[in-house]
Structure formats: structure tokens, C-alpha cells
Amino acid sequence: MEILNQFLKLFENFQFLDLKQVAMWAIGGILIFLAIKKEMEPTLLLPMGLGAILVNLPAPPAANPEEPEGVLGVLKHLFDIGMTDDAFELFPLLLFIGIGAMIDFGPVLSNPKLMIFGAAAQFGIFFTLCLALAVGFDLNDAASAAIIGAADGPTSIVVAQTLHSKYMGAIMVAAYSYMALVPVVQPPIIKLCTTKKERLIRMSNSGTKPVSKLTKILFPIVVTIIVGLFAPGSVALVGFLMFGNLLRECGVLDSLSNTAQNVLANLITILLGISVASQMTAEKFLTVETFLILALGLAAFIFDTVGGVMLAKLMNLFLPKGKKINPMIGAAGISAFPMSGRVVHKMGLEEDPQNFLLMHSIGVNVSGQVASVIAGGIILAMVG
């Protein structure tokens, strides 16, 4: 009898299993599928998917949710170390060093007017903030949902965590999923907003100027100072981003730059994914509000794309023939670097195999990276 009782204890946890937890296993499986089969942000979606399964394994009802044990306790501890206010949102800040080291600001410095498209492509953030307030979210959660439109995972995390949003898991999943879905989401939106004739516009590189090494070194320093003066809420993110870029451009720290681009960025991304999964418990994730957050994030993403395209169309009304801007490059102003720039370039080649937009679209994409961080700082200043 005692042996039988010990055997039955192996199945004890089945009595605490519910359908919501099984649903979260399915969601975790979908994230793993997207990471492996579709290669969508695998370094993030894979750990996030497995983490979603881990934190939704059944536990006795008497278990303390505030001080969980086992794997959930480990993940919560990791989250507290790298993602809370007490930890100064350490993981996103460290990730921005790696992102900064990957970015070449040369294209936008050679043609500074492209910066305006990075600003215009943040329109969806502020539109969605109003929309979220209209559907009933409180100001902090509305702002956290709106910043998904930045298409910038670290910025979304910092804003949501700083504002103590209740929907951290959903915001994280939406921010990175929509980044991965750029090749799916953006092309139909761009085509809807432009005509065939506009998509065929060729842009010359004759207006670009060579960028000196001194300019590339001074740029991250000057940007950090300006942002610190005018948007202090985003100075930490911008400062770490520009520090990473300074490692790249200084020319004497190539080994550190390579480490930041590869080892550091990949390691922190994995830790981000698995730690944020601690917030993806069924009780928190499977709610009507969560699915509204996902919908609002998609709306922000769409209207960011529309904002950049429409600004280019507006500018073309005043530009002489031969100086027109291909409106598609405005869509690259979102922060999904370098995916959005590549998508626009590919669309240009599909319309005209001799239309090379990569230099322009990457320049806009880079400016969007900085603009999204500044938009996050503005949101924090408005709400904080």
C-alpha cells in the first residue's frame, strides 16, 4: 500500500492543472515554432516560449505566489535582478550597448534630412496612447501599450517597467513579435498608402556627403548631451546606445565592440526572454486586457508606418521633379533595425530591379532607432 501511495504521488500535480495553463503551453509552443521554423527573433522567442511553459506548470494552491519556489522562483529572481526599478532595468540597458555597437550612423550623417522620417514614424505611439485611454486603460498602462509602436524591445521594457504596467508579459511579447513580423506587416501597409508611380521613384545618392571619422566619434557624444538636456527620461537608454556606438567608431576598441555586438547582445537577449517569461503566468496573460494590449500594439505599429510614409508624400508636394522622395523609405523610420530598412529596399527592387533604396532606408531606420528611444523618454516625461 505504501508503495502504491508513493506511486500515486507522481500524479499529484495533475489535480492542480487547469485549461488556462494548457493554453499557455500552446502559446509557448507557438513562440518556439516561430523561433525555430520561421527564424523570427529566435534568441528571444525561443527562451520566452520555453519560459512560458515553465511558469505555467501546475503547483499546489497553497504555494505562495509572492515567494514562489522551484523554477518559477528562479525566474522571478532573475527578473528582479535585471528588470525591476531597483536593478535600474539592467538587462535592457546592457542590450542597448550591443545594439549601439551594431549601428553605423554613417548613412544618416551623410544625409541628415533623413532624420525627420525617424521622428514622423513615432506618430503611432501618441495616436495609440489616445486610443488606449479611450478604450479604458489607465494612463500608465495606456502609455506602456503605446510604446510597443516604437518597435524597440528594450525601450518598451523600460517604459512598461518604469510605469509599473500590469501587462509586462503581453507588452514584451507584442514588442518583439511585431519586430519579427516586420516583413509580414509592413509591405501591405506601405502598398496601401502609396501608388505604383510613387514606389518607382528613384533616389540619387548624389546629395550624400562622406562622413569623417571625427564626425562619427562626436555624434554619439553630442546626441547624449542633447538628449540629456531635452529628454532626460530617455538619457539612460540613449547613453548606453551611444556608448556602444562609440566603442564601434573609436577605432581602438574593436575587440570590445565585437564582444558587445555578439556575445553581450545575444546573452542579454536570452536572459531577457527567459526572465520576462516569469510574467507570463496564465492568471496575468489570459485576460481580455492582454489581447487588447496586443491589438493596440499592432495599431501603434501600423500607424507608425503610415506616419513615415505620409510625411514623405507631403514633402513631395513641395519638392521639384528629380528631387522627389520615394515614400516607402518613410516606413523604415520605425526602430526595427535593420529589418525595416531591408524590407523597404526589397520592395523597391520588386517594383524596379534597378531601384536601390538601401542607403536611404537604412539611414531612416537608424534615425528611427534614436527617435524611438527619445519618444520613450517623452512618454515617461508626460506620464511621470
Side-chain angles (χ1 to χ4, degrees):
M1 183 61 73
E2 184 176 347
I3 295 176
L4 180 60
N5 288 335
Q6 293 296 328
F7 178 75
L8 291 175
K9 280 187 177 180
L10 294 175
F11 302 93
E12 191 175 36
N13 265 4
F14 280 84
Q15 63 183 307
F16 308 123
L17 183 64
D18 62 38
L19 289 178
K20 285 187 176 182
Q21 291 171 324
V22 175
M24 289 305 298
W25 297 353
I27 291 173
I30 291 171
L31 295 178
I32 293 172
F33 171 80
L34 292 175
I36 297 174
K37 184 68 176 177
K38 301 298 183 181
E39 297 185 10
M40 293 181 176
E41 296 288 334
T43 54
L44 182 87
L45 294 189
L46 183 65
M48 189 183 295
L50 183 60
I53 295 172
L54 287 173
V55 300
N56 286 285
L57 295 173
N64 184 359
E66 298 300 323
E67 296 294 336
E69 299 177 352
V71 67
L72 182 55
V74 173
L75 293 181
K76 183 179 183 300
H77 184 60
L78 188 61
F79 182 86
D80 292 339
I81 289 173
M83 302 286 287
T84 60
D85 288 343
D86 292 337
F88 304 104
E89 290 89 23
L90 183 63
F91 289 166
L93 292 176
L94 290 177
L95 181 58
F96 254 48
I97 296 177
I99 294 173
M102 297 177 194
I103 293 177
D104 178 10
F105 285 108
V108 72
L109 290 174
S110 65
N111 193 4
K113 69 182 181 183
L114 297 178
M115 292 184 183
I116 192 172
F117 296 110
Q122 311 310 311
F123 165 74
I125 296 174
F126 300 96
F127 174 84
T128 304
L129 173 59
C130 300
L131 186 61
L133 291 172
V135 299
F137 284 99
D138 64 38
L139 184 57
N140 282 19
D141 289 328
S144 300
I147 204 64
I148 295 171
D152 183 345
T155 300
S156 299
I157 293 168
V158 169
V159 171
Q161 188 61 35
T162 302
L163 298 179
H164 304 290
S165 174
K166 300 185 288 292
Y167 308 105
M168 185 71 184
I171 289 167
M172 179 73 168
V173 171
Y176 279 98
S177 296
Y178 294 146
M179 281 177 62
L181 290 171
V182 162
V184 177
V185 176
Q186 278 205 306
I189 304 301
I190 294 171
K191 287 185 177 181
L192 190 65
C193 296
T194 58
T195 64
K196 176 78 172 179
K197 183 178 179 181
E198 288 173 329
R199 295 195 294 274
L200 287 171
I201 293 175
R202 293 189 179 186
M203 297 178 64
S204 170
N205 291 324
S206 59
T208 61
K209 302 176 182 177
V211 181
S212 68
K213 181 177 179 179
L214 179 61
T215 301
K216 288 188 173 184
I217 291 174
L218 289 176
F219 180 75
I221 299 171
V222 172
V223 168
T224 302
I225 294 172
I226 293 173
V227 172
L229 292 174
F230 292 98
S234 59
V235 72
L237 280 172
V238 170
F240 276 63
L241 180 74
M242 293 303 162
F243 171 62
N245 188 250
L246 194 57
L247 290 178
R248 174 194 178 98
E249 302 297 350
C250 68
V252 295
L253 293 172
D254 289 344
S255 61
L256 287 181
S257 175
N258 291 333
T259 300
Q261 293 179 49
N262 298 292
V263 178
L264 179 64
N266 288 332
L267 177 60
I268 296 300
T269 301
I270 290 170
L271 292 176
L272 269 174
I274 197 84
S275 60
V276 167
S278 67
Q279 307 299 299
M280 294 177 65
T281 57
E283 294 77 14
K284 292 181 179 179
F285 200 85
L286 294 180
T287 64
V288 173
E289 290 80 5
T290 292
F291 291 103
L292 277 175
I293 290 284
L294 296 174
L296 288 168
L298 181 59
F301 198 90
I302 290 172
F303 281 98
D304 275 348
T305 301
V306 171
V309 171
M310 289 304 177
L311 177 64
K313 290 167 69 77
L314 178 63
M315 291 176 65
N316 280 344
L317 296 177
F318 306 96
L319 291 175
K321 189 175 181 180
K323 297 290 185 179
K324 302 288 186 181
I325 297 169
N326 190 311
M328 292 195 296
I329 71 166
I334 65 171
S335 180
F337 176 85
M339 290 172 286
S340 186
R342 290 173 179 169
V343 165
V344 169
H345 174 61
K346 183 179 178 181
M347 290 184 67
L349 291 177
E350 288 173 354
E351 299 289 341
D352 176 1
Q354 301 301 315
N355 193 6
F356 299 99
L357 296 173
L358 186 61
M359 186 73 172
H360 304 286
S361 63
I362 289 295
V364 173
N365 207 179
V366 166
S367 68
Q369 180 75 63
V370 179
S372 68
V373 181
I374 295 174
I378 293 172
I379 288 287
L380 289 176
M382 291 170 57
V383 177

